[in-house]
Amino acid sequence: MYLTDYLWFLGAILVCMIISIYASRKVSTTYARYDKVKTSSGMTGFDTAVLLLQNNQIDDIKVGKVSGTLTNH
C-alpha cells in the first residue's frame, strides 16, 4: 500500500515538473521572439509607466529600471 502511494506521488511530481519545464521554455522562447519587435510609439515599458503616472498626477510611486531578462522587481 505504501509503495503504490509513494509511486503515485512520484508520478504526480514528475508530471508537474514536466509541465513546469514546458511552460518555462514556452515563455522564454515567446519572449525571445517578441523582444526584437519594436513598439509603434518607440516607447519602452519604463517610459510608458512614467507617462501614465505623470498623466494621472500620481507622484508617490517610483518606477525604476531593472537589468536582465524576464526579471521580477
Side-chain angles (χ1 to χ4, degrees), residues 17-27:
M17 286 176 56
I18 291 170
I19 291 171
S20 175
I21 291 168
Y22 172 76
S24 177
R25 181 87 169 144
K26 190 78 168 159
V27 168

Side-chain angles (χ1 to χ4, degrees), residues 31 35 39 41-55 58 61-68 71 73:
Y31 178 82
D35 185 39
T39 60
S41 65
M43 295 175 64
T44 64
F46 174 80
D47 298 331
T48 304
V50 169
L51 183 65
L52 285 170
L53 291 171
Q54 287 174 349
N55 287 345
I58 300 172
I61 297 176
K62 295 183 182 184
V63 180
K65 292 184 180 181
V66 178
S67 62
T71 57
H73 179 62

Side-chain angles (χ1 to χ4, degrees), residues 7-8 14 18 28 40 42 50 54 57 60-61 63 72:
L7 291 177
W8 275 107
L14 183 63
I18 291 170
S28 295
S40 59
V50 169
Q54 287 174 349
Q57 288 103 22
D60 56 346
I61 297 176
V63 180
N72 188 3

